[in-house]
Amino acid sequence: MQKKAIVLLSGGLDSITVLALAKKQGFKCYALSFDYGQRHNAELRAAAQIAVDYQVEEHKIIKLGLSSIGGSALTDEHIAVPHAPQDGIPVTYVPARNTIFLSFALGWAEVLNLTDIFIGVNAVDYSGYPDCRPEFIKAFQQLANLATKAGVEGEHFTIHTPLIALSKAEIIKQGLELGVDYQRTVSCYSADKQGRACQVCDACRLRKIGFTEAGIEDPTRYQKSHKKN
């Protein structure tokens, strides 16, 4: 019987790489995305197309109201997205986001009777978000096996984080080996309606560094007003 897995799919560089890796490992993939009140839906449109292109078994987009609690530049219009690196945990951190996302993935995993969940968190070239660290993933996996019917009945959930110890350049190189087309992805915090990136937010900065260090031409579509000469 073919293995099944849920893949958290944001529409960004990391998540498409994880989906490609899961498919290569022989998993029948179910993609899960979230409309959580973020500044734009360009990444969700990208995720929907990626799900079609990779022929996932099913793609769910769960609507969440994280903008109703705010607390992040990504969900609160009164907090500006910074254009320069910040000390400590930046204002683009969305409170408890990965905990919430993984909880939905865990619930769907029980419904689908599967025990493998893939998420594209990274703790090397990242913004310092606490819910991207190995310690968090280990703790959530323990929770998954304690707090579910499947776990109590002897099943063992595994949270797969194949990118967690890789640099952005290493992620890009691995993705290219798998045939990933990064032009179809959206990573920018302030992308416009066409999905074009601002080039100045932290997500754009890390993405640009990754392509530069990988020695690969950056395929990202940028907004003309922010394009550097």
Side-chain angles (χ1 to χ4, degrees):
M1 184 178 296
Q2 187 177 6
K3 301 177 293 183
K4 299 186 297 182
I6 289 174
V7 179
L8 272 67
L9 183 65
S10 69
L13 183 152
D14 294 334
S15 70
I16 192 175
T17 308
V18 168
L19 176 57
L21 282 167
K23 294 277 286 187
K24 183 182 180 182
Q25 291 175 23
F27 284 95
K28 183 183 293 187
C29 294
Y30 295 77
L32 183 60
S33 305
F34 296 92
D35 181 355
Y36 61 89
Q38 58 267 58
R39 283 178 172 265
H40 62 80
N41 62 7
E43 61 182 354
L44 287 176
R45 293 197 303 272
Q49 186 58 53
I50 290 166
V52 171
D53 292 343
Y54 277 83
Q55 299 180 327
V56 301
E57 299 301 309
E58 186 176 356
H59 179 213
K60 284 187 181 293
I61 300 178
I62 305 294
K63 189 172 182 61
L64 301 175
L66 297 187
S67 58
S68 64
I69 63 173
S72 167
L74 301 191
T75 58
D76 189 334
E77 62 182 13
H78 300 296
I79 303 175
V81 174
H83 290 173
Q86 293 184 296
D87 293 330
I89 299 172
V91 295
T92 50
Y93 164 70
V94 179
R97 181 173 59 179
N98 283 344
T99 304
I100 295 167
F101 288 1
L102 282 171
S103 295
F104 272 87
L106 180 61
W108 196 23
E110 281 209 280
V111 172
L112 293 172
N113 193 30
L114 61 84
T115 57
D116 293 283
I117 298 171
F118 283 77
I119 182 172
V121 293
N122 176 263
V124 179
D125 287 336
Y126 78 129
S127 297
Y129 299 156
D131 54 0
C132 289
R133 298 174 301 154
E135 299 94 327
F136 165 73
I137 297 299
K138 180 180 179 181
F140 190 91
Q141 183 169 290
Q142 291 173 335
L143 177 150
N145 288 300
L146 288 171
T148 56
K149 177 176 181 290
V152 169
E153 292 179 346
E155 297 291 342
H156 181 79
F157 289 97
T158 301
I159 311 298
H160 299 265
T161 57
L163 312 183
I164 201 163
L166 301 180
S167 69
K168 193 66 74 177
E170 289 172 329
I171 293 169
I172 290 168
K173 288 179 180 179
Q174 188 168 104
L176 291 175
E177 290 176 359
L178 295 168
V180 171
D181 179 4
Y182 287 115
Q183 187 172 3
R184 72 179 68 179
T185 64
V186 177
S187 301
C188 179
Y189 295 149
S190 300
D192 64 14
K193 292 181 180 179
Q194 289 74 45
R196 296 175 300 183
C198 74
Q199 197 172 184
V200 293
C201 71
D202 207 33
C204 283
R205 180 181 63 83
L206 291 171
R207 182 178 171 119
K208 285 168 63 69
I209 290 172
F211 281 107
T212 298
E213 292 183 348
I216 305 297
E217 183 178 355
D218 184 357
T220 307
R221 296 181 301 119
Y222 290 109
Q223 300 167 30
K224 289 182 180 180
S225 60
H226 284 133
K227 184 70 177 176
K228 296 180 180 178
N229 295 325

